[in-house]
């Protein structure tokens, strides 16, 4: 099979390409990526000369560039997006462009070139927020209620994908997953930010009271779930993917990272001003994908977090290059005024 992966130089996209070439050695992949601040071609250095892999630097909003690559493939796996909530609060426009218009451009091209199979990667953030200390979980039937420009733009893209199935019969599937973590995670997100700040001897910023809850999913488990939905999922359906079976607050995540890294939490953490519109709690009911496709997470949180910490210890040059570039200006803007 010939795949087009969008956003393959980002965190999850690059993990997915490595995963797919390992598990489907007969397939070929074209990776289309604009290489925004979050795209890092270094993530794919080990396969750059692999004859099964081709990289195309282009924007998914560029109709001509998209058309050229879409014509060559059997399946599109769509990861490319602006993905960071805090950046969507600082500057929403690019989120609407890439996440809504970019998805539209790909869908149009898929439809005009013979209704190419389309798998869309989305997020649990489209469902809004759950209350603390309840057993409520997001599932495939939860109504959409996005709160940030990021999640609103992802909700828009999900609606477009469904509309192309209902209106044009485009063979689509959608996955809405929770917070991924693992290797190649850009250090603006909470877990890699905490790990790399601790290695650098810096404090870990915790927003608000730190009692916010996320459902943490190891990226390899996510890649396997997407593989199963592509292979066995029902066309037109959505599948929710999550990694946890109990709530863990951000404070507890940072406490665990501190424990695993051998530093004192009280000295290492710093509570700062909250994120506007901060969703209180996410939790995923992943029983549909378990029942229909037999998927469940294989990595427990603590062990996967230890592996992730080790990866950041072993790959200091990877994240130090990122942290010394454009990232520094972002970090100052995002954190200095809030301390
Ligand atoms: P990321 O920010 O690490 O990577 C995004 C990639 O997309 C980058 O390589 C970037 O260069 C590329 N890109 C952005 N805009 C583009 C454009 N207009 N044209 C071409 N390429 C473009 O993101 P990620 O964390 O790997 O997330 C991947 C996908 O998964 C996104 O759709 C995101 O919404 C979704 N998702 C992420 C998480 C998570 O925890 N990271 C959870 C749920 C869903
Ligand atoms: O739920 C899926 C989503 O998970 C994805 O759709 C997004 O692309 C991905 O970025 C992620 O969004 P979050 O906003 O949940 O991730 P982030 O790592 O930014 O924040 C996780 C939690 O930690 C959140 O409650 C905010 C908090 N936080 C974050 C940062 C960056 C802090 O307390 N301090 C921080 O410095």
């Amino acid at each position: 099979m010939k795949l087009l992966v969008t956003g393959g130089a980002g965190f999850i996209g690059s993990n997915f390409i490595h995963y797919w070439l390992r598990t489907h050695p007969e397939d070929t992949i074209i990776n289309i990526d604009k290489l925004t601040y979050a795209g890092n071609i270094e993530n794919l250095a080990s396969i750059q000369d692999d004859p099964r892999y081709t990289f195309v630097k282009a924007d998914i909003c560029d109709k001509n560039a998209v058309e050229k690559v879409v014509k060559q493939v059997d399946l599109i796996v769509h990861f490319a997006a602006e993905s960071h909530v805090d950046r969507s609060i600082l500057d929403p426009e690019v989120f609407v462009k890439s996440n809504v218009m970019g998805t539209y451009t790909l869908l149009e091209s898929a439809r005009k070139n013979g209704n190419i199979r389309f798998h869309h990667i989305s997020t649990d953030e489209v469902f809004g927020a759950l209350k603390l200390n309840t057993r409520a979980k997001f599932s495939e039937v939860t109504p959409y209620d996005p709160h940030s420009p990021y999640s609103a733009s992802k909700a828009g893209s999900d609606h477009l994908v469904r509309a192309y199935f209902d209106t044009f019969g485009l063979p689509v599937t959608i996955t809405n997953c929770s917070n991924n973590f693992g290797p190649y995670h850009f250090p603006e997100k909470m877990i890699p930010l905490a790990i790399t700040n601790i290695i650098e001897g810096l404090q870990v910023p915790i927003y608000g009271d730190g009692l916010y809850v996320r459902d943490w999913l190891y990226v390899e488990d996510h890649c396997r779930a997407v593989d199963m939905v592509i292979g066995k999922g029902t066309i037109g359906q959505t599948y929710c993917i999550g990694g946890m079976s109990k709530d863990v607050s951000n404070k507890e995540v940072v406490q665990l990272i501190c424990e695993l890294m051998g530093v004192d939490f009280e000295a290492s953490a710093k509570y700062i001003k909250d994120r506007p519109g901060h969703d209180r709690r996410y939790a995923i009911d992943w029983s549909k994908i378990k029942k229909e496709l037999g998927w469940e997470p294989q990595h427990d949180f603590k062990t996967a977090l230890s592996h992730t910490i080790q990866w950041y210890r072993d790959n200091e040059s990877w994240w130090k290059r990122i942290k010394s570039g454009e990232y520094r200006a972002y970090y100052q803007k995002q954190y200095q005024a809030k301390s």
Side-chain angles (χ1 to χ4, degrees):
M1 192 158 54
K2 294 178 184 154
L3 280 71
L4 174 63
V5 172
T6 73
F11 161 48
I12 309 175
S14 58
N15 275 283
F16 180 78
I17 291 175
H18 287 299
Y19 165 89
W20 195 274
L21 290 177
R22 206 169 59 237
T23 52
H24 302 264
E26 69 290 354
D27 288 353
T28 60
I29 295 180
I30 301 174
N31 170 19
I32 184 170
D33 196 300
K34 184 182 171 184
L35 297 184
T36 67
Y37 78 92
N40 189 346
I41 209 64
E42 252 188 83
N43 301 2
L44 300 153
S46 64
I47 52 156
Q48 66 182 2
D49 299 322
D50 190 318
R52 299 170 299 163
Y53 171 71
T54 309
F55 176 65
V56 175
K57 182 178 183 310
D59 190 326
I60 52 164
C61 298
D62 177 344
K63 194 176 150 194
N64 293 331
V66 163
E67 196 85 346
K68 260 190 214 156
V69 286
V70 163
K71 279 180 192 301
Q72 301 174 48
V73 300
D74 313 303
L75 161 70
I76 300 169
V77 190
H78 177 33
F79 292 93
E82 289 293 333
S83 70
H84 193 34
V85 174
D86 292 328
R87 289 193 192 241
S88 83
I89 296 166
L90 294 173
D91 182 12
E93 187 177 350
V94 68
F95 285 74
V96 178
K97 282 188 180 149
S98 289
N99 301 0
V100 181
M101 287 306 292
T103 302
Y104 158 75
T105 307
L106 287 161
L107 288 165
E108 264 301 273
S109 193
R111 152 174 111 86
K112 288 186 174 151
N113 286 285
N115 262 5
I116 293 170
R117 174 83 170 85
F118 193 98
H119 181 72
H120 180 58
I121 306 293
S122 192
T123 170
D124 60 357
E125 298 207 9
V126 297
F127 301 125
L130 300 166
K131 289 201 164 46
L132 272 188
N133 304 318
T134 63
R135 296 166 74 91
K137 292 189 173 189
F138 297 136
S139 78
E140 293 77 7
V141 296
T142 305
Y144 276 42
D145 181 24
H147 296 151
S148 71
Y150 162 69
S151 52
S153 68
K154 290 297 289 186
S157 69
D158 291 12
H159 291 317
L160 274 172
V161 174
R162 277 204 195 97
Y164 271 67
F165 170 68
D166 291 334
T167 311
F168 305 115
L170 191 74
V172 307
T173 40
I174 300 178
T175 42
N176 292 87
C177 72
S178 58
N179 287 58
N180 285 223
F181 68 103
Y184 302 116
H185 202 181
F186 197 86
E188 66 188 351
K189 307 285 168 66
M190 190 186 79
I191 286 184
L193 177 65
I195 297 169
T196 57
N197 271 17
I198 290 171
I199 298 175
E200 290 185 297
L202 301 172
Q203 285 190 300
V204 179
I206 299 182
Y207 293 164
D209 58 14
L211 301 180
Y212 294 86
V213 172
R214 294 294 181 266
D215 179 317
W216 296 101
L217 170 67
Y218 193 52
V219 64
E220 196 176 304
D221 280 327
H222 180 201
C223 293
R224 197 167 35 80
V226 171
D227 185 359
M228 291 173 96
V229 172
I230 288 169
K232 302 195 284 183
T234 304
I235 297 300
Q237 290 286 307
T238 288
Y239 296 87
C240 284
I241 309 167
M244 306 290 271
S245 40
K246 72 174 179 57
D247 282 8
V248 182
S249 69
N250 291 341
K251 179 183 172 190
E252 288 167 322
V253 171
V254 177
Q255 277 173 330
L256 182 57
I257 292 172
C258 288
E259 180 195 316
L260 292 168
M261 296 184 75
V263 297
D264 176 51
F265 170 77
E266 300 302 332
S268 303
K270 182 175 186 181
Y271 289 92
I272 65 165
K273 194 169 166 232
D274 212 345
R275 170 186 281 176
H278 199 168
D279 288 333
R280 190 41 102 172
R281 171 176 173 260
Y282 301 153
I284 297 266
D285 171 358
W286 38 270
S287 56
K288 175 176 172 180
I289 187 169
K290 181 171 186 201
K291 187 164 165 243
E292 291 188 13
L293 309 182
W295 177 89
E296 60 186 334
Q298 288 180 345
H299 295 86
D300 82 88
F301 183 54
K302 191 172 177 181
T303 313
L305 195 55
S306 303
H307 287 148
T308 304
I309 291 169
Q310 195 54 48
W311 189 86
Y312 282 87
R313 286 197 195 281
D314 293 342
N315 290 277
E316 280 204 15
S317 62
W318 180 88
W319 57 263
K320 281 199 166 152
R321 258 197 294 286
I322 293 171
K323 279 192 147 186
S324 62
E326 180 267 359
Y327 180 91
R328 275 164 59 191
Y330 162 75
Y331 195 84
Q332 274 180 350
K333 197 168 172 188
Q334 174 64 17
Y335 292 101
Q336 229 162 33
K338 298 187 176 167
S339 300

